[in-house]
Amino acid sequence: MEQRKIQTVGGGTYTVSLPKEWAESEDCTAGTTVNLHTHIDGLLVIQTPESEAETTSRVSLDIGSDEPDGIEQTLRAAYAAGVESVVLDAPEGLSDAQRRAVERVARNLTGVTVTEATDTRVTVQTLLDASEVSVTQSVRQLQFVALSMHRDATATLTSGSTGDRWGDRDEQADRLYAMIDRYFERGLARLDEIDALGLTRPELFGLWATANELERVADHAERIGLVAERLDEPPDEGLAADLADLARDARAVVEDAVRVVIGDAHVDTARQTLSRRRSVCDRVGDLDQHLFESTDADYRLTRVLDSLSRTAQHGGNIAEFGLRMAVRDGGLTDPVAEESAGASGPSAESES
């Protein structure tokens, strides 16, 4: 990094000279037009039109005899990379299995549609507009889906009741995470995407990292539900109550941590959440030891305990993001202490 002094020219216009090495590397000379991007985080970025045009928005792929799973993986990768349009060519014609793979991706990813379909070509396009997307609200929705899955899966485990199909709601969680992941990737690559989202880069990273943890919470909820469905009968009343209490506290860790990251709770909640995470993990360890020593406990319940511990750990990871954001933004000041200081300040001054 180097520092340059701002100067003024006629009419009060502010100017600053460009580094010669950068100008030569970008073929900039007197009279070259460049684009200026101002950002909500206070940055001013200079970019040549040629380098801006290099951002990939459309790709063409020859899928030939590619397997359907490979096609699906490629389309998901293009979606995550922020590509807007993918053209799939098969000179010998697309098979029914390949078409079904394309349709499956379009059905399971937000904003994706098939805009062209012939015997030898399919065009898949993403129609999402960043200015109409709220990443914060998407994180809230992902939290709701993940924790509702977790709650219902635990109820099925402890009571033997029949729950919803976990796979359907896990797909919803995956869909929400994929959209957030896409906009995080585009925010790294495109200078205009961050402003369209109305977020700074650190804010977007915090939300993306939170979504990553929530997606794993949803996976553990599905795991608990699958174990519950395979048990011949629910655990005995005492063990069921212990599992329900642990699950409730693990979900509280996640919920409170997310509130800190999205700004609905003070940073002190993050500290309390990290303390609760330790308590949950310690209690899981104690109950796991009890199951190990028991002669009639179903071994599959250890998988449930592992998922409950990991749920709390993922919530703790989110709380750590909240603490990190508070340190960065100067939000660690105790509001009660501030209020007390404000109250004592004037009276001390008047006494003097």
Side-chain angles (χ1 to χ4, degrees):
M1 184 188 75
E2 59 179 292
Q3 294 181 332
R4 298 197 174 219
K5 187 174 295 185
I6 295 177
Q7 301 178 344
T8 59
V9 295
T13 301
Y14 293 110
T15 65
V16 63
S17 59
L18 299 176
K20 184 177 180 181
E21 291 183 359
W22 176 85
E24 290 177 346
S25 67
E26 297 294 327
D27 294 328
C28 290
T29 59
T32 299
T33 299
V34 294
N35 297 329
L36 301 182
H37 299 271
T38 58
H39 294 279
I40 61 176
D41 52 9
L43 294 178
L44 174 65
V45 179
I46 301 173
Q47 190 174 31
T48 61
E50 289 76 13
S51 61
E52 188 171 26
E54 290 176 0
T55 302
T56 302
S57 61
R58 179 183 175 93
V59 297
S60 297
L61 302 171
D62 186 349
I63 58 174
S65 59
D66 289 1
E67 293 294 326
D69 287 347
I71 295 173
E72 184 170 351
Q73 291 168 359
T74 299
L75 288 174
R76 289 183 178 277
Y79 182 85
V83 176
E84 296 174 357
S85 181
V86 181
V87 179
L88 302 175
D89 287 312
E92 302 299 324
L94 282 90
S95 68
D96 291 341
Q98 288 175 325
R99 291 185 184 279
R100 284 194 296 270
V102 173
E103 292 169 357
R104 187 162 53 248
V105 171
R107 184 172 59 252
N108 292 334
L109 292 178
T110 303
V112 175
T113 185
V114 177
T115 58
E116 176 189 13
T118 66
D119 292 341
T120 59
R121 170 175 291 187
V122 172
T123 300
V124 180
Q125 191 166 359
T126 303
L127 303 177
L128 289 173
D129 184 348
S131 63
E132 298 177 357
V133 171
S134 171
V135 176
T136 301
Q137 185 60 29
S138 297
V139 169
R140 285 194 177 100
Q141 292 174 353
L142 179 53
Q143 174 199 278
F144 175 81
V145 171
L147 294 187
S148 66
M149 286 176 61
H150 201 281
R151 189 177 299 108
D152 291 348
T154 304
T156 299
L157 173 73
T158 56
S159 66
S161 61
T162 302
D164 295 336
R165 295 295 299 172
W166 316 111
D168 293 342
R169 280 191 288 169
D170 188 56
E171 287 179 1
Q172 185 181 358
D174 291 342
R175 185 161 52 248
L176 283 165
Y177 172 71
M179 185 180 69
I180 296 168
D181 188 41
R182 170 184 173 83
Y183 279 105
F184 175 69
E185 182 78 19
R186 285 175 65 88
L188 295 176
R190 294 180 59 92
L191 296 172
D192 57 345
E193 200 76 7
I194 291 291
D195 291 333
L197 293 171
L199 298 166
T200 64
R201 285 174 175 80
E203 289 170 343
L204 181 58
F205 172 78
L207 292 170
W208 170 79
T210 298
N212 192 36
E213 301 294 332
L214 289 173
E215 197 268 341
R216 295 177 184 180
V217 170
D219 288 341
H220 283 291
E222 183 181 28
R223 186 186 187 196
I224 293 171
L226 290 174
V227 171
E229 289 181 344
R230 292 167 183 168
L231 292 179
D232 297 330
E233 58 183 16
D236 63 68
E237 186 175 345
L239 179 56
D242 289 339
L243 291 171
D245 286 344
L246 283 170
R248 182 170 54 251
D249 287 348
R251 290 193 299 272
V253 170
V254 176
E255 186 172 8
D256 287 344
V258 173
R259 289 173 57 227
V260 174
V261 170
I262 63 180
D264 290 346
H266 189 262
V267 67
D268 281 348
T269 302
R271 298 189 183 100
Q272 297 163 8
T273 298
L274 291 173
S275 177
R276 182 179 289 178
R277 174 184 66 175
R278 290 191 294 271
S279 173
V280 170
C281 291
D282 289 344
R283 288 158 55 202
V284 165
D286 292 342
L287 188 54
D288 188 46
Q289 181 66 27
H290 172 74
L291 290 180
F292 177 77
E293 296 171 352
S294 174
T295 58
D296 57 352
D298 194 312
Y299 73 93
R300 287 171 292 192
L301 291 177
T302 61
R303 299 178 186 174
V304 172
L305 287 174
D306 179 67
S307 286
L308 294 179
S309 176
R310 289 179 182 273
T311 298
Q313 289 169 4
H314 290 309
N317 292 343
I318 297 172
E320 289 173 354
F321 295 141
L323 277 175
R324 185 188 309 176
M325 294 167 66
V327 171
R328 183 189 67 230
D329 300 336
L332 287 179
T333 305
D334 185 352
V336 176
E338 276 189 338
E339 184 178 345
S340 300
S344 61
S347 57
E349 184 177 351
S350 61
E351 288 175 359
S352 62

